[in-house]
Amino acid sequence: MHRTHTCGEVDESLVGERITVAGWVVAMRELGGLTFVVLRDRYGNLQVVFEKDKPDIAHGYVVKVEGTVRMRPEDQYREDWRSGKVEVLVDRYEILNPSVPLPFQPEDDVKASEEARLRFRPLDLRRPRMQENFRVRHEINLFIRNYLSERDFLELETPILTKSTPEGARDFIVPARLQPGKFYALPQSPQLYKQVLMVAGFDRYFQIARCFRDEDLRADRQPEFTQLDLEMSFVSDPEDVLTLIEGLIAEIFRRWAGADVEPPFPRYTYHEVMERYGSDKPDLRYSVAYEDWTERLAGKGNRIIDSNVERGAKVKALVLPVSLSRGQIDRLLKGFQFLWFKVKDGKPSGNLARFVKDTDLTPYEGKTVFVFVGKGTPFYEALGEFRATVTSLFLKPEREWSFLWVKDFPLLQWNYDEGRIEPAHHIFTSPYEEHIPLITEIENALKEGREGEEIDELAQRVLGKQYDLVINGVEIGSGSVRVHNADLQVRLLKLIGLTEEEIEERFGFLINSLRMGAPPHGGIALGLDRIVAMCRGEESIREVILFPKTTTGVALFEGAPSDVSPEQLEELGLEIRRGG
Ligand code: ASP
């Protein structure tokens, strides 16, 4: 090795010893004929001192030095470095590799744009914070592997070149040279394989699995990302999965985020969270919740309320423990439609003021009350959006962490944008047995050509054995107990619009496996990138993915996607049509 010690392990115990260290030059300064250089490797920073001539090195060079360890003057200790009390007096040095001038310094307060950071990613990854992100990522992976192995899970690798696995996104496809005109799909998740592995008798499976989804990369998404994916046989109730996972998650967040969290996490039904927070992933670091004020406000003479309530709408109120100014309320009104009042010195003001006069207003003193009227999924979604907006604008989180489970989702929902019925999670989720008869009702309603709210209302009543893990308002994982009865699976696939032929073509391998003695089974997949990002206090998962893509799906460092040669296209029997 080009070193006897790493830069991060040189301490007082080595004073007087000759050592060899190697690393990157991250700082240089001259003072009174001496040259002070900071060398860095993965383990830390170390000051090395050149007494004679100024060394012929610069920022970014990879340098090996030999010399004697000595104490630094006490007033120059770097308490933030593990090797910060000592330095090495150099008597020999060697340049292991020079460097061109760096486009930016690999420091935590990096001045470069994100584009430059992605373009020169190895340099960016050299920053101590990034090094720590990936060290933690490794530790979490290792912990997961041990935790699950100790509980009899086997780590099994499912194919990457595969058949479409629907998770609601577009597939990435790969042309198959040996089968001209045919394509593999990259897995959106290992969902179907892991179910089949239960039929194969593996009993407990997990995988730190790469998933590929060709979506528009709004917000903080990546076309390839990593899930902790698992599946268990003989699961009879969602709780079997929940207790296993919350133990794992609580330990990860205790160890790597310092979170004060104990399982069990609170459990809410989908219905509860939608009514209270207007979201299936509420951020419960804030306690404000919607209250049902239908009885309180209906029939008081407010036209909007009364006409809507007559049509089955509900009145929902959110009490914000802050007295907002008229200007703030007007600005909110630009994005949302609500009625409101606030109370000052016992007197209400606002467009609802005269309708709440006969109410006891003491609980609302100094607060602003927002009132919404409506029904159906889009209404609840708007409630959720409004709550997220006002909490982030006007409130401080009451706690650092909020972990919760949401259970009992509707199995199916109406997709208002596309005008069709679709699974709320995925179509392999089992309904609760007692709700199976309702599926017949939906089948009939669809045959009669009914749609929209009517179907949505029916669909909301069929509950699936689905569960989501939500941390600080972010859906971190989703899973379900699965359909293990082949006939029921076929019925559900038909319900979402597939024909017998399509079912056979796309899911024949699953259905046939289910017919060969599939045990009851269930599982979950957790977003590992997001878990690591949260533990590290990073806003974006790009900070914990080595080579992430931009929002237009471009890998700036290696330059993908890229053209392929005419010969490759020829071999694949493909032709590119360019332009309009
Ligand atoms: N495959 C599902 C997903 O990626 C998770 C699961 O149901 O286990 O969301």
Side-chain angles (χ1 to χ4, degrees), residues 166-167 188-192 194-195 211 213 225 227-231 425-426 428-429 466-467 475 477-482 522-526:
E167 294 285 359
Q188 292 187 33
S189 81
Q191 182 63 35
L192 301 182
K194 67 174 171 175
Q195 290 192 236
C211 303
R213 299 183 191 176
F225 58 94
Q227 287 188 338
L228 164 59
D229 190 50
L230 64 83
E231 196 74 10
H425 180 40
H426 53 51
F428 314 107
T429 299
Q466 185 203 329
Y467 31 81
E475 183 204 304
S478 215
S480 60
V481 176
R482 323 297 182 185
I524 193 165
L526 304 168

PDB file of all heavy atoms in Angstrom, residues 166-167 188-192 194-195 211 213 225 227-231 425-426 428-429 466-467 475 477-482 522-526, ligand 1:
ATOM      1  N   PRO A 166     -46.738  -4.158 -13.989  1.00  0.00           N
ATOM      2  CA  PRO A 166     -47.421  -2.871 -13.899  1.00  0.00           C
ATOM      3  C   PRO A 166     -47.390  -2.284 -12.493  1.00  0.00           C
ATOM      4  O   PRO A 166     -47.784  -2.913 -11.531  1.00  0.00           O
ATOM      5  CB  PRO A 166     -48.858  -3.221 -14.283  1.00  0.00           C
ATOM      6  CG  PRO A 166     -49.003  -4.663 -13.961  1.00  0.00           C
ATOM      7  CD  PRO A 166     -47.660  -5.294 -14.061  1.00  0.00           C
ATOM      8  N   GLU A 167     -46.876  -1.075 -12.364  1.00  0.00           N
ATOM      9  CA  GLU A 167     -46.982  -0.317 -11.120  1.00  0.00           C
ATOM     10  C   GLU A 167     -47.541   1.060 -11.449  1.00  0.00           C
ATOM     11  O   GLU A 167     -47.308   2.020 -10.746  1.00  0.00           O
ATOM     12  CB  GLU A 167     -45.609  -0.184 -10.441  1.00  0.00           C
ATOM     13  CG  GLU A 167     -45.007  -1.477  -9.929  1.00  0.00           C
ATOM     14  CD  GLU A 167     -45.656  -1.997  -8.654  1.00  0.00           C
ATOM     15  OE1 GLU A 167     -46.569  -1.355  -8.120  1.00  0.00           O
ATOM     16  OE2 GLU A 167     -45.226  -3.079  -8.206  1.00  0.00           O
ATOM     17  N   GLN A 188     -40.687  -2.494 -13.271  1.00  0.00           N
ATOM     18  CA  GLN A 188     -41.124  -1.355 -12.447  1.00  0.00           C
ATOM     19  C   GLN A 188     -41.017  -1.716 -10.973  1.00  0.00           C
ATOM     20  O   GLN A 188     -40.897  -0.864 -10.111  1.00  0.00           O
ATOM     21  CB  GLN A 188     -42.556  -0.970 -12.805  1.00  0.00           C
ATOM     22  CG  GLN A 188     -42.672  -0.388 -14.207  1.00  0.00           C
ATOM     23  CD  GLN A 188     -44.058   0.147 -14.503  1.00  0.00           C
ATOM     24  OE1 GLN A 188     -44.739   0.648 -13.617  1.00  0.00           O
ATOM     25  NE2 GLN A 188     -44.485   0.044 -15.742  1.00  0.00           N
ATOM     26  N   SER A 189     -41.070  -3.008 -10.697  1.00  0.00           N
ATOM     27  CA  SER A 189     -40.820  -3.539  -9.354  1.00  0.00           C
ATOM     28  C   SER A 189     -40.742  -5.053  -9.520  1.00  0.00           C
ATOM     29  O   SER A 189     -41.152  -5.570 -10.555  1.00  0.00           O
ATOM     30  CB  SER A 189     -41.960  -3.187  -8.405  1.00  0.00           C
ATOM     31  OG  SER A 189     -43.028  -4.102  -8.589  1.00  0.00           O
ATOM     32  N   PRO A 190     -40.234  -5.761  -8.522  1.00  0.00           N
ATOM     33  CA  PRO A 190     -40.209  -7.234  -8.655  1.00  0.00           C
ATOM     34  C   PRO A 190     -41.546  -7.885  -8.270  1.00  0.00           C
ATOM     35  O   PRO A 190     -41.586  -9.069  -7.956  1.00  0.00           O
ATOM     36  CB  PRO A 190     -39.112  -7.658  -7.669  1.00  0.00           C
ATOM     37  CG  PRO A 190     -38.427  -6.403  -7.245  1.00  0.00           C
ATOM     38  CD  PRO A 190     -39.438  -5.312  -7.379  1.00  0.00           C
ATOM     39  N   GLN A 191     -42.633  -7.114  -8.301  1.00  0.00           N
ATOM     40  CA  GLN A 191     -43.913  -7.568  -7.751  1.00  0.00           C
ATOM     41  C   GLN A 191     -44.315  -8.986  -8.155  1.00  0.00           C
ATOM     42  O   GLN A 191     -44.571  -9.831  -7.319  1.00  0.00           O
ATOM     43  CB  GLN A 191     -45.014  -6.591  -8.162  1.00  0.00           C
ATOM     44  CG  GLN A 191     -46.382  -6.924  -7.607  1.00  0.00           C
ATOM     45  CD  GLN A 191     -46.408  -6.871  -6.096  1.00  0.00           C
ATOM     46  OE1 GLN A 191     -45.728  -6.044  -5.494  1.00  0.00           O
ATOM     47  NE2 GLN A 191     -47.149  -7.759  -5.474  1.00  0.00           N
ATOM     48  N   LEU A 192     -44.372  -9.247  -9.454  1.00  0.00           N
ATOM     49  CA  LEU A 192     -44.909 -10.544  -9.880  1.00  0.00           C
ATOM     50  C   LEU A 192     -43.941 -11.666  -9.543  1.00  0.00           C
ATOM     51  O   LEU A 192     -44.339 -12.747  -9.118  1.00  0.00           O
ATOM     52  CB  LEU A 192     -45.245 -10.516 -11.365  1.00  0.00           C
ATOM     53  CG  LEU A 192     -46.271  -9.441 -11.718  1.00  0.00           C
ATOM     54  CD1 LEU A 192     -46.619  -9.489 -13.189  1.00  0.00           C
ATOM     55  CD2 LEU A 192     -47.525  -9.602 -10.879  1.00  0.00           C
ATOM     56  N   LYS A 194     -41.876 -11.742  -7.039  1.00  0.00           N
ATOM     57  CA  LYS A 194     -41.840 -12.084  -5.608  1.00  0.00           C
ATOM     58  C   LYS A 194     -43.060 -12.901  -5.208  1.00  0.00           C
ATOM     59  O   LYS A 194     -42.987 -13.772  -4.354  1.00  0.00           O
ATOM     60  CB  LYS A 194     -41.638 -10.849  -4.735  1.00  0.00           C
ATOM     61  CG  LYS A 194     -42.758  -9.839  -4.693  1.00  0.00           C
ATOM     62  CD  LYS A 194     -42.420  -8.758  -3.652  1.00  0.00           C
ATOM     63  CE  LYS A 194     -43.385  -7.595  -3.701  1.00  0.00           C
ATOM     64  NZ  LYS A 194     -43.141  -6.624  -2.643  1.00  0.00           N
ATOM     65  N   GLN A 195     -44.189 -12.648  -5.883  1.00  0.00           N
ATOM     66  CA  GLN A 195     -45.364 -13.468  -5.597  1.00  0.00           C
ATOM     67  C   GLN A 195     -45.115 -14.909  -6.044  1.00  0.00           C
ATOM     68  O   GLN A 195     -45.432 -15.859  -5.335  1.00  0.00           O
ATOM     69  CB  GLN A 195     -46.583 -12.888  -6.299  1.00  0.00           C
ATOM     70  CG  GLN A 195     -47.044 -11.580  -5.687  1.00  0.00           C
ATOM     71  CD  GLN A 195     -48.415 -11.158  -6.200  1.00  0.00           C
ATOM     72  OE1 GLN A 195     -48.562 -10.082  -6.707  1.00  0.00           O
ATOM     73  NE2 GLN A 195     -49.413 -12.012  -6.073  1.00  0.00           N
ATOM     74  N   CYS A 211     -35.593  -0.491  -9.363  1.00  0.00           N
ATOM     75  CA  CYS A 211     -36.854  -0.438 -10.096  1.00  0.00           C
ATOM     76  C   CYS A 211     -36.766   0.654 -11.142  1.00  0.00           C
ATOM     77  O   CYS A 211     -36.097   1.664 -10.935  1.00  0.00           O
ATOM     78  CB  CYS A 211     -38.005  -0.110  -9.151  1.00  0.00           C
ATOM     79  SG  CYS A 211     -38.137  -1.272  -7.796  1.00  0.00           S
ATOM     80  N   ARG A 213     -38.989   3.129 -13.766  1.00  0.00           N
ATOM     81  CA  ARG A 213     -40.305   3.630 -14.188  1.00  0.00           C
ATOM     82  C   ARG A 213     -40.112   4.844 -15.081  1.00  0.00           C
ATOM     83  O   ARG A 213     -39.471   5.819 -14.678  1.00  0.00           O
ATOM     84  CB  ARG A 213     -41.167   3.988 -12.962  1.00  0.00           C
ATOM     85  CG  ARG A 213     -41.405   2.753 -12.106  1.00  0.00           C
ATOM     86  CD  ARG A 213     -42.297   2.955 -10.916  1.00  0.00           C
ATOM     87  NE  ARG A 213     -42.217   1.765 -10.068  1.00  0.00           N
ATOM     88  CZ  ARG A 213     -42.798   1.608  -8.891  1.00  0.00           C
ATOM     89  NH1 ARG A 213     -43.520   2.584  -8.397  1.00  0.00           N
ATOM     90  NH2 ARG A 213     -42.651   0.494  -8.211  1.00  0.00           N
ATOM     91  N   PHE A 225     -34.621   3.696  -9.323  1.00  0.00           N
ATOM     92  CA  PHE A 225     -34.518   3.963  -7.892  1.00  0.00           C
ATOM     93  C   PHE A 225     -34.493   2.622  -7.175  1.00  0.00           C
ATOM     94  O   PHE A 225     -34.675   1.572  -7.801  1.00  0.00           O
ATOM     95  CB  PHE A 225     -35.685   4.834  -7.422  1.00  0.00           C
ATOM     96  CG  PHE A 225     -37.035   4.237  -7.699  1.00  0.00           C
ATOM     97  CD1 PHE A 225     -37.690   3.489  -6.735  1.00  0.00           C
ATOM     98  CD2 PHE A 225     -37.617   4.377  -8.955  1.00  0.00           C
ATOM     99  CE1 PHE A 225     -38.920   2.910  -6.997  1.00  0.00           C
ATOM    100  CE2 PHE A 225     -38.847   3.803  -9.230  1.00  0.00           C
ATOM    101  CZ  PHE A 225     -39.493   3.069  -8.251  1.00  0.00           C
ATOM    102  N   GLN A 227     -35.674   0.023  -4.088  1.00  0.00           N
ATOM    103  CA  GLN A 227     -36.666  -0.335  -3.074  1.00  0.00           C
ATOM    104  C   GLN A 227     -36.124  -1.461  -2.211  1.00  0.00           C
ATOM    105  O   GLN A 227     -35.437  -2.357  -2.724  1.00  0.00           O
ATOM    106  CB  GLN A 227     -37.937  -0.864  -3.732  1.00  0.00           C
ATOM    107  CG  GLN A 227     -38.795   0.175  -4.407  1.00  0.00           C
ATOM    108  CD  GLN A 227     -40.122  -0.410  -4.872  1.00  0.00           C
ATOM    109  OE1 GLN A 227     -40.264  -1.619  -5.067  1.00  0.00           O
ATOM    110  NE2 GLN A 227     -41.098   0.451  -5.061  1.00  0.00           N
ATOM    111  N   LEU A 228     -36.473  -1.407  -0.935  1.00  0.00           N
ATOM    112  CA  LEU A 228     -36.356  -2.624  -0.152  1.00  0.00           C
ATOM    113  C   LEU A 228     -37.656  -3.369  -0.395  1.00  0.00           C
ATOM    114  O   LEU A 228     -38.730  -2.923   0.021  1.00  0.00           O
ATOM    115  CB  LEU A 228     -36.189  -2.315   1.344  1.00  0.00           C
ATOM    116  CG  LEU A 228     -36.440  -3.535   2.236  1.00  0.00           C
ATOM    117  CD1 LEU A 228     -35.506  -4.677   1.898  1.00  0.00           C
ATOM    118  CD2 LEU A 228     -36.328  -3.167   3.693  1.00  0.00           C
ATOM    119  N   ASP A 229     -37.556  -4.483  -1.089  1.00  0.00           N
ATOM    120  CA  ASP A 229     -38.742  -5.202  -1.522  1.00  0.00           C
ATOM    121  C   ASP A 229     -38.820  -6.498  -0.733  1.00  0.00           C
ATOM    122  O   ASP A 229     -37.795  -7.177  -0.585  1.00  0.00           O
ATOM    123  CB  ASP A 229     -38.586  -5.489  -3.029  1.00  0.00           C
ATOM    124  CG  ASP A 229     -39.849  -6.025  -3.640  1.00  0.00           C
ATOM    125  OD1 ASP A 229     -40.907  -5.412  -3.423  1.00  0.00           O
ATOM    126  OD2 ASP A 229     -39.783  -7.063  -4.331  1.00  0.00           O
ATOM    127  N   LEU A 230     -39.980  -6.843  -0.213  1.00  0.00           N
ATOM    128  CA  LEU A 230     -40.063  -8.142   0.470  1.00  0.00           C
ATOM    129  C   LEU A 230     -41.441  -8.763   0.363  1.00  0.00           C
ATOM    130  O   LEU A 230     -42.422  -8.093   0.062  1.00  0.00           O
ATOM    131  CB  LEU A 230     -39.582  -8.046   1.914  1.00  0.00           C
ATOM    132  CG  LEU A 230     -40.306  -7.186   2.932  1.00  0.00           C
ATOM    133  CD1 LEU A 230     -41.492  -7.918   3.513  1.00  0.00           C
ATOM    134  CD2 LEU A 230     -39.340  -6.842   4.058  1.00  0.00           C
ATOM    135  N   GLU A 231     -41.463 -10.042   0.609  1.00  0.00           N
ATOM    136  CA  GLU A 231     -42.715 -10.797   0.508  1.00  0.00           C
ATOM    137  C   GLU A 231     -42.660 -11.957   1.506  1.00  0.00           C
ATOM    138  O   GLU A 231     -41.586 -12.520   1.748  1.00  0.00           O
ATOM    139  CB  GLU A 231     -42.874 -11.328  -0.926  1.00  0.00           C
ATOM    140  CG  GLU A 231     -44.251 -11.800  -1.290  1.00  0.00           C
ATOM    141  CD  GLU A 231     -45.271 -10.662  -1.515  1.00  0.00           C
ATOM    142  OE1 GLU A 231     -44.879  -9.476  -1.565  1.00  0.00           O
ATOM    143  OE2 GLU A 231     -46.461 -10.979  -1.612  1.00  0.00           O
ATOM    144  N   HIS A 425     -53.838   0.648  -5.363  1.00  0.00           N
ATOM    145  CA  HIS A 425     -52.418   0.302  -5.190  1.00  0.00           C
ATOM    146  C   HIS A 425     -52.005  -0.420  -6.471  1.00  0.00           C
ATOM    147  O   HIS A 425     -51.668   0.183  -7.443  1.00  0.00           O
ATOM    148  CB  HIS A 425     -52.256  -0.557  -3.947  1.00  0.00           C
ATOM    149  CG  HIS A 425     -50.849  -0.982  -3.668  1.00  0.00           C
ATOM    150  ND1 HIS A 425     -49.776  -0.153  -3.830  1.00  0.00           N
ATOM    151  CD2 HIS A 425     -50.343  -2.154  -3.225  1.00  0.00           C
ATOM    152  CE1 HIS A 425     -48.659  -0.801  -3.502  1.00  0.00           C
ATOM    153  NE2 HIS A 425     -48.979  -2.021  -3.137  1.00  0.00           N
ATOM    154  N   HIS A 426     -52.056  -1.726  -6.473  1.00  0.00           N
ATOM    155  CA  HIS A 426     -51.955  -2.441  -7.732  1.00  0.00           C
ATOM    156  C   HIS A 426     -52.962  -3.569  -7.701  1.00  0.00           C
ATOM    157  O   HIS A 426     -53.519  -3.886  -6.660  1.00  0.00           O
ATOM    158  CB  HIS A 426     -50.528  -2.912  -8.028  1.00  0.00           C
ATOM    159  CG  HIS A 426     -49.911  -3.702  -6.918  1.00  0.00           C
ATOM    160  ND1 HIS A 426     -50.532  -4.778  -6.337  1.00  0.00           N
ATOM    161  CD2 HIS A 426     -48.738  -3.546  -6.262  1.00  0.00           C
ATOM    162  CE1 HIS A 426     -49.759  -5.269  -5.396  1.00  0.00           C
ATOM    163  NE2 HIS A 426     -48.668  -4.526  -5.316  1.00  0.00           N
ATOM    164  N   PHE A 428     -52.971  -6.608  -7.710  1.00  0.00           N
ATOM    165  CA  PHE A 428     -52.692  -7.888  -7.055  1.00  0.00           C
ATOM    166  C   PHE A 428     -53.040  -7.856  -5.567  1.00  0.00           C
ATOM    167  O   PHE A 428     -52.779  -8.786  -4.822  1.00  0.00           O
ATOM    168  CB  PHE A 428     -51.219  -8.275  -7.290  1.00  0.00           C
ATOM    169  CG  PHE A 428     -50.842  -8.070  -8.725  1.00  0.00           C
ATOM    170  CD1 PHE A 428     -50.027  -7.024  -9.119  1.00  0.00           C
ATOM    171  CD2 PHE A 428     -51.388  -8.897  -9.704  1.00  0.00           C
ATOM    172  CE1 PHE A 428     -49.738  -6.806 -10.462  1.00  0.00           C
ATOM    173  CE2 PHE A 428     -51.108  -8.682 -11.043  1.00  0.00           C
ATOM    174  CZ  PHE A 428     -50.280  -7.637 -11.434  1.00  0.00           C
ATOM    175  N   THR A 429     -53.609  -6.727  -5.130  1.00  0.00           N
ATOM    176  CA  THR A 429     -53.989  -6.551  -3.726  1.00  0.00           C
ATOM    177  C   THR A 429     -55.309  -7.262  -3.443  1.00  0.00           C
ATOM    178  O   THR A 429     -56.262  -7.152  -4.219  1.00  0.00           O
ATOM    179  CB  THR A 429     -54.141  -5.043  -3.434  1.00  0.00           C
ATOM    180  OG1 THR A 429     -52.878  -4.440  -3.663  1.00  0.00           O
ATOM    181  CG2 THR A 429     -54.588  -4.787  -2.012  1.00  0.00           C
ATOM    182  N   GLN A 466     -54.487  -3.232   1.932  1.00  0.00           N
ATOM    183  CA  GLN A 466     -53.328  -2.435   1.548  1.00  0.00           C
ATOM    184  C   GLN A 466     -52.887  -1.556   2.707  1.00  0.00           C
ATOM    185  O   GLN A 466     -53.715  -1.121   3.509  1.00  0.00           O
ATOM    186  CB  GLN A 466     -53.680  -1.537   0.356  1.00  0.00           C
ATOM    187  CG  GLN A 466     -52.478  -0.762  -0.163  1.00  0.00           C
ATOM    188  CD  GLN A 466     -52.858   0.496  -0.925  1.00  0.00           C
ATOM    189  OE1 GLN A 466     -53.902   0.529  -1.555  1.00  0.00           O
ATOM    190  NE2 GLN A 466     -52.022   1.507  -0.864  1.00  0.00           N
ATOM    191  N   TYR A 467     -51.600  -1.303   2.773  1.00  0.00           N
ATOM    192  CA  TYR A 467     -51.073  -0.432   3.834  1.00  0.00           C
ATOM    193  C   TYR A 467     -49.937   0.411   3.293  1.00  0.00           C
ATOM    194  O   TYR A 467     -49.175  -0.026   2.434  1.00  0.00           O
ATOM    195  CB  TYR A 467     -50.577  -1.269   5.019  1.00  0.00           C
ATOM    196  CG  TYR A 467     -50.048  -2.622   4.606  1.00  0.00           C
ATOM    197  CD1 TYR A 467     -48.756  -2.769   4.105  1.00  0.00           C
ATOM    198  CD2 TYR A 467     -50.853  -3.754   4.661  1.00  0.00           C
ATOM    199  CE1 TYR A 467     -48.280  -3.992   3.684  1.00  0.00           C
ATOM    200  CE2 TYR A 467     -50.382  -4.991   4.238  1.00  0.00           C
ATOM    201  CZ  TYR A 467     -49.095  -5.098   3.751  1.00  0.00           C
ATOM    202  OH  TYR A 467     -48.610  -6.297   3.320  1.00  0.00           O
ATOM    203  N   GLU A 475     -44.941   9.293   1.538  1.00  0.00           N
ATOM    204  CA  GLU A 475     -45.224   7.854   1.479  1.00  0.00           C
ATOM    205  C   GLU A 475     -43.894   7.143   1.245  1.00  0.00           C
ATOM    206  O   GLU A 475     -43.289   7.249   0.200  1.00  0.00           O
ATOM    207  CB  GLU A 475     -46.187   7.577   0.329  1.00  0.00           C
ATOM    208  CG  GLU A 475     -46.589   6.130   0.252  1.00  0.00           C
ATOM    209  CD  GLU A 475     -47.032   5.741  -1.143  1.00  0.00           C
ATOM    210  OE1 GLU A 475     -47.953   6.371  -1.679  1.00  0.00           O
ATOM    211  OE2 GLU A 475     -46.421   4.796  -1.691  1.00  0.00           O
ATOM    212  N   GLY A 477     -43.467   3.740   1.897  1.00  0.00           N
ATOM    213  CA  GLY A 477     -43.614   2.350   1.462  1.00  0.00           C
ATOM    214  C   GLY A 477     -45.063   2.002   1.278  1.00  0.00           C
ATOM    215  O   GLY A 477     -45.956   2.672   1.821  1.00  0.00           O
ATOM    216  N   SER A 478     -45.261   0.957   0.499  1.00  0.00           N
ATOM    217  CA  SER A 478     -46.610   0.539   0.195  1.00  0.00           C
ATOM    218  C   SER A 478     -46.594  -0.965   0.023  1.00  0.00           C
ATOM    219  O   SER A 478     -45.637  -1.510  -0.523  1.00  0.00           O
ATOM    220  CB  SER A 478     -46.982   1.182  -1.140  1.00  0.00           C
ATOM    221  OG  SER A 478     -48.315   1.510  -1.141  1.00  0.00           O
ATOM    222  N   GLY A 479     -47.637  -1.599   0.485  1.00  0.00           N
ATOM    223  CA  GLY A 479     -47.678  -3.045   0.299  1.00  0.00           C
ATOM    224  C   GLY A 479     -49.076  -3.554   0.514  1.00  0.00           C
ATOM    225  O   GLY A 479     -50.008  -2.780   0.758  1.00  0.00           O
ATOM    226  N   SER A 480     -49.217  -4.857   0.405  1.00  0.00           N
ATOM    227  CA  SER A 480     -50.547  -5.424   0.582  1.00  0.00           C
ATOM    228  C   SER A 480     -50.471  -6.925   0.808  1.00  0.00           C
ATOM    229  O   SER A 480     -49.460  -7.558   0.520  1.00  0.00           O
ATOM    230  CB  SER A 480     -51.419  -5.145  -0.654  1.00  0.00           C
ATOM    231  OG  SER A 480     -50.854  -5.708  -1.813  1.00  0.00           O
ATOM    232  N   VAL A 481     -51.583  -7.452   1.337  1.00  0.00           N
ATOM    233  CA  VAL A 481     -51.797  -8.889   1.282  1.00  0.00           C
ATOM    234  C   VAL A 481     -52.340  -9.124  -0.131  1.00  0.00           C
ATOM    235  O   VAL A 481     -53.116  -8.324  -0.640  1.00  0.00           O
ATOM    236  CB  VAL A 481     -52.802  -9.327   2.370  1.00  0.00           C
ATOM    237  CG1 VAL A 481     -53.117 -10.813   2.250  1.00  0.00           C
ATOM    238  CG2 VAL A 481     -52.257  -8.977   3.751  1.00  0.00           C
ATOM    239  N   ARG A 482     -51.889 -10.199  -0.775  1.00  0.00           N
ATOM    240  CA  ARG A 482     -52.197 -10.364  -2.200  1.00  0.00           C
ATOM    241  C   ARG A 482     -53.404 -11.278  -2.436  1.00  0.00           C
ATOM    242  O   ARG A 482     -53.777 -12.075  -1.570  1.00  0.00           O
ATOM    243  CB  ARG A 482     -50.996 -10.976  -2.942  1.00  0.00           C
ATOM    244  CG  ARG A 482     -49.656 -10.508  -2.482  1.00  0.00           C
ATOM    245  CD  ARG A 482     -49.432  -9.024  -2.698  1.00  0.00           C
ATOM    246  NE  ARG A 482     -48.069  -8.668  -2.251  1.00  0.00           N
ATOM    247  CZ  ARG A 482     -47.606  -7.442  -2.213  1.00  0.00           C
ATOM    248  NH1 ARG A 482     -48.357  -6.408  -2.518  1.00  0.00           N
ATOM    249  NH2 ARG A 482     -46.372  -7.204  -1.819  1.00  0.00           N
ATOM    250  N   GLY A 522     -48.156 -11.895   1.363  1.00  0.00           N
ATOM    251  CA  GLY A 522     -48.244 -10.437   1.344  1.00  0.00           C
ATOM    252  C   GLY A 522     -46.867  -9.855   1.521  1.00  0.00           C
ATOM    253  O   GLY A 522     -45.922 -10.554   1.899  1.00  0.00           O
ATOM    254  N   GLY A 523     -46.740  -8.575   1.230  1.00  0.00           N
ATOM    255  CA  GLY A 523     -45.422  -7.957   1.342  1.00  0.00           C
ATOM    256  C   GLY A 523     -45.496  -6.461   1.273  1.00  0.00           C
ATOM    257  O   GLY A 523     -46.572  -5.851   1.424  1.00  0.00           O
ATOM    258  N   ILE A 524     -44.362  -5.883   0.993  1.00  0.00           N
ATOM    259  CA  ILE A 524     -44.269  -4.426   0.983  1.00  0.00           C
ATOM    260  C   ILE A 524     -43.014  -4.033   0.212  1.00  0.00           C
ATOM    261  O   ILE A 524     -42.115  -4.864   0.015  1.00  0.00           O
ATOM    262  CB  ILE A 524     -44.207  -3.871   2.428  1.00  0.00           C
ATOM    263  CG1 ILE A 524     -44.431  -2.354   2.468  1.00  0.00           C
ATOM    264  CG2 ILE A 524     -42.875  -4.217   3.097  1.00  0.00           C
ATOM    265  CD1 ILE A 524     -44.736  -1.820   3.858  1.00  0.00           C
ATOM    266  N   ALA A 525     -42.975  -2.797  -0.244  1.00  0.00           N
ATOM    267  CA  ALA A 525     -41.729  -2.255  -0.796  1.00  0.00           C
ATOM    268  C   ALA A 525     -41.527  -0.863  -0.208  1.00  0.00           C
ATOM    269  O   ALA A 525     -42.473  -0.077  -0.122  1.00  0.00           O
ATOM    270  CB  ALA A 525     -41.807  -2.169  -2.315  1.00  0.00           C
ATOM    271  N   LEU A 526     -40.308  -0.602   0.232  1.00  0.00           N
ATOM    272  CA  LEU A 526     -39.995   0.687   0.865  1.00  0.00           C
ATOM    273  C   LEU A 526     -38.987   1.439   0.010  1.00  0.00           C
ATOM    274  O   LEU A 526     -38.052   0.834  -0.532  1.00  0.00           O
ATOM    275  CB  LEU A 526     -39.380   0.455   2.251  1.00  0.00           C
ATOM    276  CG  LEU A 526     -40.203  -0.387   3.218  1.00  0.00           C
ATOM    277  CD1 LEU A 526     -39.365  -0.785   4.417  1.00  0.00           C
ATOM    278  CD2 LEU A 526     -41.432   0.382   3.683  1.00  0.00           C
TER     279      LEU A 526
HETATM  280  N1  ASP B   1     -44.583  -3.591  -5.711  1.00  0.00           N
HETATM  281  C1  ASP B   1     -45.248  -2.592  -4.923  1.00  0.00           C
HETATM  282  C2  ASP B   1     -44.722  -1.205  -5.250  1.00  0.00           C
HETATM  283  O1  ASP B   1     -43.656  -1.065  -5.824  1.00  0.00           O
HETATM  284  C3  ASP B   1     -45.086  -2.797  -3.460  1.00  0.00           C
HETATM  285  C4  ASP B   1     -45.746  -4.016  -2.963  1.00  0.00           C
HETATM  286  O2  ASP B   1     -46.964  -4.139  -3.088  1.00  0.00           O
HETATM  287  O3  ASP B   1     -45.039  -4.832  -2.363  1.00  0.00           O
HETATM  288  O4  ASP B   1     -45.340  -0.215  -4.882  1.00  0.00           O
END
